[in-house]
Amino acid sequence: MPIFRSHHQAALLAWLLLHPEHEYTLTELAKRLDVPLTTLQREAQRLVGAGILADRTLGRARLLRANLSNRAAVPLTQLLEVTFGPQTVIGEEFDLTNAARVLIYGSWAERYHGTPGPPPNDVDVLVVGSLDRADVYDAADRAQARLGMQVNPVLRTPEQWADNADSLVLQIKASPTVDVTSGGKAAS
């Protein structure tokens, strides 16, 4: 949903408001969100100035956290859960042993990359690895409960992912995706 000032601002807000119990340094956030540090510093300063985020200095590090006492925190968190939450939640719930790659594809990934259209009703997730199908579906159930929207997992082995004879794999590779593999970056 094109309602935030910038993609970087929305990513910063989403991470901090969806993890309100933690503080992060600007350097940690820049790396995690794949945002240039100077850009993140400007966005953080605006949000701290508005009282949405709180900061403190510890030694030479500036720590940021969500300011839950701000009356906008709860509705903003709810909005971020709907718009940016899937990236965070899918990344956490599908952080499975033997998952070589976890991608969000389909309408949610398209909206994330700016393709116009109605808000997605579900989240399509591709898991590449040698995993037990039950573990993948358990992760989908946990993510679905947190997001309040359908999560549709698809499992492929690394060999199937490399095989260009699989029509779904070809379709996913040709479409916008968001890589939520632990430490993964957004891809298109």
Side-chain angles (χ1 to χ4, degrees):
M1 298 176 85
I3 54 179
F4 294 99
R5 196 182 82 70
S6 72
H7 185 79
H8 296 135
Q9 179 197 59
L12 175 61
L13 281 170
W15 188 261
L16 291 174
L17 285 170
L18 296 176
H19 298 95
E21 66 282 358
H22 297 291
E23 289 182 307
Y24 299 91
T25 67
L26 284 168
T27 303
E28 288 173 317
L29 289 165
K31 183 177 178 183
R32 176 177 297 280
L33 302 174
D34 195 27
V35 176
L37 184 58
T38 55
T39 301
L40 192 71
Q41 288 170 327
R42 284 191 303 271
E43 294 295 352
Q45 192 57 42
R46 286 183 187 101
L47 295 167
V48 167
I52 296 169
L53 299 181
D55 67 344
R56 70 182 179 99
T57 303
L58 182 63
R60 294 177 48 192
R62 181 179 180 197
L63 297 171
L64 290 175
R65 63 177 164 73
N67 180 7
L68 299 180
S69 66
N70 184 303
R71 62 183 233 169
V74 170
L76 189 54
T77 300
Q78 291 170 336
L79 180 61
L80 288 160
E81 285 174 339
V82 172
T83 56
F84 280 78
Q87 181 180 9
T88 300
V89 171
I90 299 297
E92 290 171 354
E93 295 300 345
F94 283 84
D95 188 15
L96 304 169
T97 303
N98 296 328
R101 194 159 200 189
V102 180
L103 301 174
I104 298 175
Y105 67 98
S107 60
W108 194 90
E110 290 171 359
R111 298 306 164 271
Y112 182 87
H113 285 287
T115 304
N121 294 318
D122 62 1
V123 182
D124 300 310
V125 180
L126 171 74
V127 180
V128 178
S130 301
L131 293 104
D132 185 329
R133 189 168 295 280
D135 292 338
V136 172
Y137 281 95
D138 287 345
D141 289 344
R142 290 190 306 271
Q144 184 170 311
R146 287 178 63 187
L147 294 169
M149 65 191 308
Q150 183 75 32
V151 175
N152 307 309
V154 171
L155 179 60
R156 293 293 189 266
T157 64
E159 296 76 26
Q160 289 170 317
W161 177 246
D163 182 10
N164 288 329
D166 184 323
S167 61
L168 180 60
V169 166
L170 287 173
Q171 178 187 346
I172 293 170
K173 286 180 177 180
S175 302
T177 61
V178 178
D179 189 339
V180 296
T181 309
S182 185
K185 305 285 188 255
S188 49

